[in-house]
Amino acid sequence: MKTALKLEELGLFIFGIYLFSLLNYQWWWFLALILAPDLSMLGYAVNAKIGAFSYNVFHHRGIAILLYILGSYLHIEVLQLIGTILFSHAAMDRFFGYGLKYETGFKYTHLGEIGKK
């Protein structure tokens, strides 16, 4: 099952790359921004509750899809870019085993404990 889930996330990441290819941005933008959602981890400098909340907001695929659809509907390409980056980043993270965070600490995610074998 774990392999199937990883393949699904890989497929979603590739889909995010496809969505990016439809935008009028050069490819270096994708490479420059793909790790930007991880800046949300700065919330952990305050405490675990704020850290988990800020991390989860920037790694929630529903929010990413909403921003992309809103950008498409309103013809605001930067919103489509933001949605695409958030979506792609979330898929990439989940492919590597980093899920949405619980308030108990950074290593506790909806995919299981990070680093636990």
Side-chain angles (χ1 to χ4, degrees), residues 5-91:
L5 292 174
K6 283 191 168 209
L7 288 173
E8 181 181 15
E9 295 302 335
L10 179 61
L12 291 172
F13 180 68
I14 291 168
F15 180 64
I17 292 171
Y18 168 73
L19 290 177
F20 180 83
S21 76
L22 301 176
L23 301 175
N24 292 314
Y25 288 93
Q26 294 181 358
W27 281 101
W28 67 265
W29 279 103
F30 187 85
L31 295 174
L33 295 174
I34 193 63
L35 297 178
D38 281 338
L39 291 173
S40 62
M41 287 188 285
L42 292 173
Y44 281 98
V46 178
N47 63 43
K49 184 176 183 177
I50 290 174
F53 177 79
S54 64
Y55 184 93
N56 291 343
V57 165
F58 284 90
H59 289 78
H60 194 289
R61 277 199 290 245
I63 293 172
I65 293 168
L66 179 65
L67 288 172
Y68 183 85
I69 291 171
L70 189 62
S72 296
Y73 180 75
L74 298 174
H75 304 288
I76 302 173
E77 196 169 36
V78 72
L79 277 181
Q80 290 175 283
L81 173 66
I82 294 167
T84 300
I85 293 296
L86 292 176
F87 182 86
S88 300
H89 179 87

